[in-house]
């Protein structure tokens, strides 16, 4: 089967090939043939796995056992979604009194299960933390006629069911939405904010117009195809169904070096060890699903091209405005600089779209936390084991702490615990730290350009024109010719699907491959890594990868320049009615008169509560003031506060405690001077020993983060004087404590 080789140690071979190049070439040639055979066999297994997977009624790549609780097909507005309860693996203990944890899987061309794909996944992290865990997945085909709104309503119904299963838990479920599921969950939370606990959106494109020059090439796709008429055409050719393989193909085109070379060469070069990992990933990557034509049209028109979600322009069929400012739960946005599908500007641009400044966020009672990873790719955000062990573990462990953060904008950083003092208060290997940010700080990430807004607005207008022309002229003909049979044939012949099928056992030409592969495994001769020809192979592979990457950069640059030049033409903008617009192309709802009236009403309500309450309010107000506007910069202070909550108010629940923190923060933000001067009034009726105990408690909490800064120490001295002025028998104490620090 392989070339005859003389023993490398034979005298004859040494005489004929004194430098060993011939022996190295012969060994490399044998290894190359064997690796090629084994590689082809892995491709055959991949094809078989694909066919087996797509022929299942409920394909799923979940790595955990689960039971179906609610079948979305039985809801009043039926959908192809399901609510599953994750059964904890052996040895994992679940605390039914813990906050429920719900992972919503993205339906963006691939099948369900990616959030629980590995033990080190979002689901695995939640289970190890003792949370009851639920999973919202989907079936490969939509229910006829289902709409995006139906799916949103189904997710709301699922969440109600989860809450009903935990009547004794006061905390609302934590909900995780990956990629497409992220913006879908945000829509649901905007409609029913009271059902949601903290929300984690990972790699979710909420503001599709946003992006930096030289990156985010997918945002130009709508403009380069003339709008969404192509989406409508593919949906019509699919007889009302849209093949998710088209979406997967778009993802693959973003990185041709990885798609066409690196991923395959990695398997070929390490075929003895990489096969299992490769097949495991391909089971999900190749599990293409189908969307309804109406669903994908809604998504492309309203989110990708229209950018209406991040600007509060979406309205449900029953007249409810889908405004993300309605959210009352903390929102954690996790994104990465290495993500070319949902770069940070698209994940965070919605904050800038909705809010003029941080005061706007606070007035809307929103807590927004963001974390920008340096390198991981799109899938790595919710699949990578290292990310799950670090960022997702910290997000999950700190959700109660995030829930108590006062409204505002925060950036998080994950640091090693051993770098901090009081590491005995840190329960894990890492510490999640929070820093207050302003909306203006996001400009460095979002890189907003008004002239680009006008370009994307031009795309949206032109898309409406082209879609209207297609529906008038082309759609009747396409729909008349399309049939379920032709749609199935088109899906089978899609290049992404056909590649799996051709390299499977259903192709007679592959019948000899498993026999040859078995013979290779019985007599495998892997070449050493220091073989000169194997080293040369690696160099050539790197050159191929770099060449494809250079071509990608040239292609993306050409697309960007073409887009900017074409849609930046004043004449084209005038033809679609934009040059004469008095308003900015990107709608900002925060500037509307109704919103300003809301803020004024919020201030009036807060003003009325300045002197309401007692010692609990005085202590919390003081802690927040000294720490500069937040109850803590990391989990250590929160742990102190939570542990001492019983001393302040034994009957208070964690939810009551969180409400107390938020309320006192609002009061300080509204009028700091008046809020501080009201502290002695809040302490009236307290004895000297009680007041001293309150001061001791405050000092204990403040010490959790180490020594106070000079400014914080000055603030604490002011608080101390205010407390002393409230002691019985003290006269004139309030006047001595006056003055802003």
């Amino acid at each position: 089967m392989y070339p005859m080789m003389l023993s490398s140690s034979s005298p004859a071979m040494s005489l004929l090939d004194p430098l060993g190049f011939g022996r190295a070439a012969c060994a490399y040639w044998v290894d190359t043939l064997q690796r090629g055979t084994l590689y082809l066999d892995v491709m055959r297994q991949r094809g078989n796995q694909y066919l087996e997977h797509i022929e299942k009624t409920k394909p799923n790549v979940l790595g955990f056992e689960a039971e179906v609780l609610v079948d979305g097909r039985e809801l009043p507005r039926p959908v192809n979604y399901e609510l599953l309860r994750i059964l904890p693996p052996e040895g994992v203990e679940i605390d039914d009194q813990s906050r429920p944890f719900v992972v919503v899987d993205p339906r963006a061309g691939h099948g369900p299960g990616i959030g629980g794909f590995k033990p080190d996944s979002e689901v695995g992290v939640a289970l190890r933390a003792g949370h009851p865990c639920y999973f919202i997945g989907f079936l490969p085909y939509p229910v006829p006629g289902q709409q995006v709104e139906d799916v949103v309503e189904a997710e709301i119904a699922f969440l109600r069911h989860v809450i009903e299963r935990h009547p004794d838990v006061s905390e609302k479920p934590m909900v995780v939405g990956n990629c497409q599921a992220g913006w879908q969950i945000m829509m649901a939370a905007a409609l029913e904010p009271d059902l949601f606990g903290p929300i984690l959106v990972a790699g979710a494109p909420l503001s599709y117009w946003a992006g930096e020059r030289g990156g985010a090439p997918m945002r130009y796709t709508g403009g380069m195809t003339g709008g969404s008429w192509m989406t409508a055409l593919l949906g019509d050719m699919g007889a009302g169904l849209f093949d998710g393989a088209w979406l997967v193909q778009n993802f693959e085109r973003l990185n041709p070096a990885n798609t066409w070379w690196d991923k395959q060469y990695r398997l070929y070069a390490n075929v003895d060890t990489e096969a299992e990992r490769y097949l495991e990933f391909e089971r999900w990557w190749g599990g293409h699903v189908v969307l309804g034509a109406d669903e994908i049209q809604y998504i492309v028109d309203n989110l990708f091209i229209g950018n209406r979600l991040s600007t509060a322009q979406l309205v449900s069929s029953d007249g409810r405005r889908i405004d993300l400012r309605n959210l009352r739960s903390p929102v954690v946005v996790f994104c990465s600089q290495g993500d070319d599908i949902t770069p940070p500007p698209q994940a965070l641009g919605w904050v800038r779209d909705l809010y003029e400044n941080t005061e706007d966020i606070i007035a809307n009672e929103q807590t927004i936390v963001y974390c920008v990873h340096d390198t991981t790719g799109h899938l790595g955000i919710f699949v990578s084991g290292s990310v799950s062990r670090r960022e997702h573990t910290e997000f999950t462990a700190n959700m109660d702490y995030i829930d108590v953060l006062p409204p505002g904008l925060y950036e998080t950083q994950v640091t090693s615990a051993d770098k901090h003092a009081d590491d005995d208060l840190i329960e894990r290997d890492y510490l999640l730290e929070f820093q207050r940010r302003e909306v203006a700080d996001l400009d460095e990430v979002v890189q907003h350009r008004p002239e680009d807004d006008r370009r994307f607005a031009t795309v949206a207008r032109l898309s409406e024109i082209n879609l209207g022309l297609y529906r008038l002229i082309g759609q009747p003909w396409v729909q008349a010719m399309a049939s379920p049979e032709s749609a199935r044939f088109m899906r089978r012949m899609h290049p992404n699907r056909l590649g799996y099928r051709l390299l499977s056992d259903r192709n007679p030409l592959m019948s000899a491959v498993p026999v040859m592969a078995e013979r290779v495994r019985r007599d495998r001769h892997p070449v050493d890594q220091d073989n000169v020809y194997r080293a040369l192979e690696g160099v050539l592979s790197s050159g191929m990868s770099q060449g494809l990457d250079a071509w990608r950069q040239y292609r993306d640059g050409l697309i960007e320049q073409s887009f900017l030049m074409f849609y930046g033409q004043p004449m084209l903008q005038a033809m679609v009615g934009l040059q004469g617009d008095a308003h900015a192309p990107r709608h900002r709802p925060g500037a509307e008169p109704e919103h300003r009236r809301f803020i004024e009403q919020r201030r009036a309500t807060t003003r009325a509560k300045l002197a309401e309450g007692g010692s609990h309010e005085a202590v919390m107000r003081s802690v927040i003031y000294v720490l500069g506007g937040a109850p803590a910069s990391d989990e250590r202070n929160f742990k102190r506060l939570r542990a001492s909550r019983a001393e302040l108010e034994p009957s208070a629940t964690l939810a009551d405690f969180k409400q107390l923190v938020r309320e006192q923060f609002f009061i300080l933000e509204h009028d700091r001077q008046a809020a501080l001067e009201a502290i002695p009034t809040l302490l009236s009726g307290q004895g000297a020993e009680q007041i001293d105990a309150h001061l001791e408690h405050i000092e204990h909490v403040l010490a959790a983060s180490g020594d106070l800064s000079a400014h914080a120490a000055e603030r604490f001295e002011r608080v101390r004087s205010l407390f002393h002025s409230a002691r019985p028998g003290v006269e004139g104490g309030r006047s001595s404590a006056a003055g802003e620090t």
Side-chain angles (χ1 to χ4, degrees), residues 27-312:
Y28 174 74
W29 178 246
V30 171
D31 176 63
T32 298
L33 289 175
Q34 291 189 333
R35 277 189 289 148
T37 304
L38 295 176
Y39 172 84
L40 198 57
D41 190 56
V42 174
M43 294 294 101
R44 179 190 64 84
Q45 294 176 54
R46 184 190 72 153
N48 293 342
Q49 175 181 268
Y50 162 80
L51 293 171
E52 179 184 353
H53 186 74
I54 65 169
E55 288 168 0
K56 291 180 179 178
T57 305
K58 296 183 178 182
N60 205 307
V61 297
L62 263 178
F64 301 88
E65 294 293 325
E67 62 174 345
V68 178
L69 297 180
V70 182
D71 189 334
R73 294 171 296 182
E74 299 174 0
L75 293 174
R77 297 167 69 171
V79 294
N80 66 329
Y81 278 69
E82 295 178 324
L83 173 66
L84 295 86
R85 182 175 77 92
I86 303 296
L87 304 177
E90 185 178 352
V92 175
E93 296 293 332
I94 298 298
D95 180 5
D96 288 330
Q97 299 303 310
S98 293
R99 183 199 298 270
F101 191 99
V102 181
V103 175
V104 186
D105 230 27
R107 185 161 159 253
H110 306 95
I114 194 63
F117 187 47
K118 299 178 179 179
D120 285 325
S121 64
E122 293 160 337
V123 170
V125 166
L127 288 173
R128 288 195 298 273
H131 293 275
C133 199
Y134 299 86
F135 190 84
I136 298 177
F138 49 87
L139 303 176
Y141 289 89
V143 173
Q146 84 177 37
Q147 307 290 327
V148 169
E149 280 187 35
D150 299 333
V151 176
V152 170
E153 291 295 336
E155 290 171 346
I156 291 172
F158 293 156
L159 210 55
R160 291 187 195 277
H161 185 84
V162 170
I163 293 171
E164 290 170 2
R165 289 178 60 88
H166 298 272
D168 298 329
V169 179
S170 61
E171 303 300 307
K172 294 295 189 297
M174 174 182 170
V175 184
V176 179
N178 299 318
C179 187
Q180 173 271 344
W183 58 254
Q184 202 161 267
I185 280 298
M186 294 286 275
M187 290 175 64
L191 293 173
E192 296 289 345
D194 294 337
L195 296 178
F196 288 77
I199 299 170
L200 169 61
V201 287
L206 292 164
S207 183
Y208 211 75
W209 286 8
E212 59 180 320
R213 294 280 181 88
M218 280 190 71
R219 67 182 181 141
Y220 302 123
T221 303
M224 300 309 292
T225 57
S228 67
W229 73 273
M230 283 286 290
T231 305
L233 172 64
L234 290 172
D236 290 336
M237 292 174 65
L241 297 175
F242 182 90
D243 188 0
W246 293 109
L247 299 177
V248 177
Q249 188 177 71
N250 283 340
F251 300 150
E252 291 184 338
R253 285 175 175 169
L254 286 174
N255 192 348
N258 182 69
T259 300
W260 297 342
W261 187 261
D262 291 347
K263 184 170 71 170
Q264 306 304 329
Y265 176 74
R266 192 180 305 116
L267 172 64
Y268 170 74
N270 307 282
V271 71
D272 299 297
T273 57
E274 277 286 299
E276 184 177 353
R277 186 205 61 81
Y278 179 88
L279 290 172
E280 182 185 30
F281 178 77
E282 285 294 306
R283 187 161 62 95
W284 174 74
W285 188 256
H288 309 122
V289 296
V290 174
L291 293 82
D294 290 342
E295 289 182 283
I296 190 65
Q297 195 68 41
Y298 178 97
I299 293 169
V300 173
D301 285 339
N302 290 296
L303 277 82
F304 297 164
I305 292 179
N307 201 54
R308 295 188 177 102
L309 176 60
S310 72
T311 51

Side-chain angles (χ1 to χ4, degrees), residues 466-487:
N466 288 342
L467 180 61
L469 290 172
Y470 167 73
R471 284 176 170 166
L472 177 67
I473 301 171
Q475 190 174 62
W477 292 94
V478 177
Q479 289 181 342
M481 292 186 291
S483 67
E485 291 74 20
S486 67

Side-chain angles (χ1 to χ4, degrees), residues 613-620 641-661 663 694 697:
S615 60
H616 306 143
E617 285 75 12
V619 169
M620 185 54 65
L641 284 169
R642 184 173 57 183
S644 59
R645 189 174 82 244
E647 302 171 19
L648 288 174
E649 196 170 357
S651 60
T653 65
L654 184 58
D656 294 335
F657 170 68
K658 293 175 181 178
Q659 180 59 32
L660 173 65
V661 173
E663 190 173 84
H694 293 324
H697 173 76

Side-chain angles (χ1 to χ4, degrees), residues 2-5 8 17 20-37 261 265 268-269 524-541:
Y2 304 108
M4 296 295 292
M5 291 192 301
S8 60
D17 185 26
F21 287 110
R23 283 168 288 174
C26 193
Y28 174 74
W29 178 246
V30 171
D31 176 63
T32 298
L33 289 175
Q34 291 189 333
R35 277 189 289 148
T37 304
W261 187 261
Y265 176 74
Y268 170 74
R524 179 77 171 100
H525 295 283
V527 74
D528 294 333
Q529 291 297 319
D530 58 358
N531 182 289
V532 63
Y533 299 101
R534 181 64 189 268
L536 181 60
E537 176 191 292
V539 171
L540 293 174
S541 174

Side-chain angles (χ1 to χ4, degrees), residues 397-408:
N398 283 279
M399 272 305 159
D400 276 338
Y401 171 57
I402 292 172
D403 214 2
V404 83
L405 280 175

Side-chain angles (χ1 to χ4, degrees), residues 5-15 17 20 23-24 27:
M5 291 192 301
L6 291 173
S7 171
S8 60
S9 61
S10 66
M13 197 64 189
S14 299
L15 289 173
D17 185 26
R23 283 168 288 174

